[in-house]
Amino acid sequence: MRIGVVGLGRMGGAIARRLMRGGHECVVYDRSAEAVSAVVQDGAAGAGDLADLVARLSPPRIAWIMLPAGAPTEETLGALAERMQPGDVLIDGGNSFYRDDIRRAAAFRTKGLRYVDVGTSGGVWGLERGYCLMVGGEAETVALLDPILRTLAPGMGDIPRTRRRPGDGQTAELGYIHAGPAGAGHFVKMVHNGVEYGLMQAYAEGFDILKNKNGERLPAGERFELNLTDIAEVWRRGSVISSFLLDLIAQALADDAELSGYEGAVADSGEARWTIQAAIEEAVPADVLAAALFARFRSREDHTFGERMLSAMRFGFGGHVERKG
């Protein structure tokens, strides 16, 4: 298939490259000419602006937007909608608020345009590992996009198959699902990111406890100088808490056992806040997720070893570089 990709940052560029590796044709645009040139060198067709990108696509035109949530995404979708024709498809693969998706889908429908929201997880590793995709939109449109989604998703891989009931979604074990109507994809991804915060915080607190077992607050006879690098590595081997995040921790500690390259001022990108808002609206207790979010707020004032570990994990899976205090 031929698809336009707008936004060639850490994930957008990799998405275009993975699509091309899978045999799709990509027309790409970014405000940075250097970013466009880099993807063009890998086989994409470069567009000079959004009008040029639309002109290089054939009906039904498909454009995937991979930009920060808020004004950049909103303005780009609006500009593309003005240039596209009935039956064309706009995809927001970023981290937009799900209620924005519901509003956009209704507005674009009046122009005959189709809108799909794709919650995209995979970070800087997605090019090689594939992306976990949570899709919202009309079933017919999602079916049209299936070749694109199948290419971007990780596939079955070597993960043992879950015993599933007949009729359960067949694409889930390939790494992508049609979650529901417009907004459902980003809602599922929003909660995914809230859970991610909780998991990361649990690891960070656990390693902080291990780190401080040699602290002066403890009786001399009860202090242990523990090798956190080895502990992280052994927990990867047969432990019930092994995970991709733990893999990142083990590598970060192997590179620098003190994580001295990280400040520990841990950012939040918004999805966890929206998840807590949803929990309040649904009257669902979310103690761990809320505490993990609040811990990030506090981290910007003074920093523990555990917070440096959070920074290390964010850099590991997403290439996020924390600001220095």
Side-chain angles (χ1 to χ4, degrees), residues 262-267 310-312 314-315 320-324:
Y262 298 95
E263 181 73 16
V266 188
L310 287 173
S311 293
R314 292 187 83 239
F315 178 78
H320 303 290
V321 179
E322 309 292 6
R323 64 173 175 80
K324 293 291 184 180

Side-chain angles (χ1 to χ4, degrees), residues 124-125 129 203 207 227-237 243-262 305 308-309 311-317:
V124 297
W125 299 87
R129 289 167 53 101
Y203 280 125
F207 276 94
N227 187 319
L228 303 192
T229 304
D230 283 353
I231 291 171
E233 187 62 32
V234 77
W235 282 359
R236 297 179 63 218
R237 313 289 173 172
S243 71
F244 176 58
L245 289 174
L246 186 58
D247 295 345
L248 298 178
I249 289 171
Q251 188 59 62
L253 290 171
D255 293 340
D256 175 8
E258 294 298 320
L259 304 180
S260 55
Y262 298 95
F305 179 81
R308 295 199 297 278
M309 180 164 288
S311 293
M313 282 187 275
R314 292 187 83 239
F315 178 78
F317 69 71

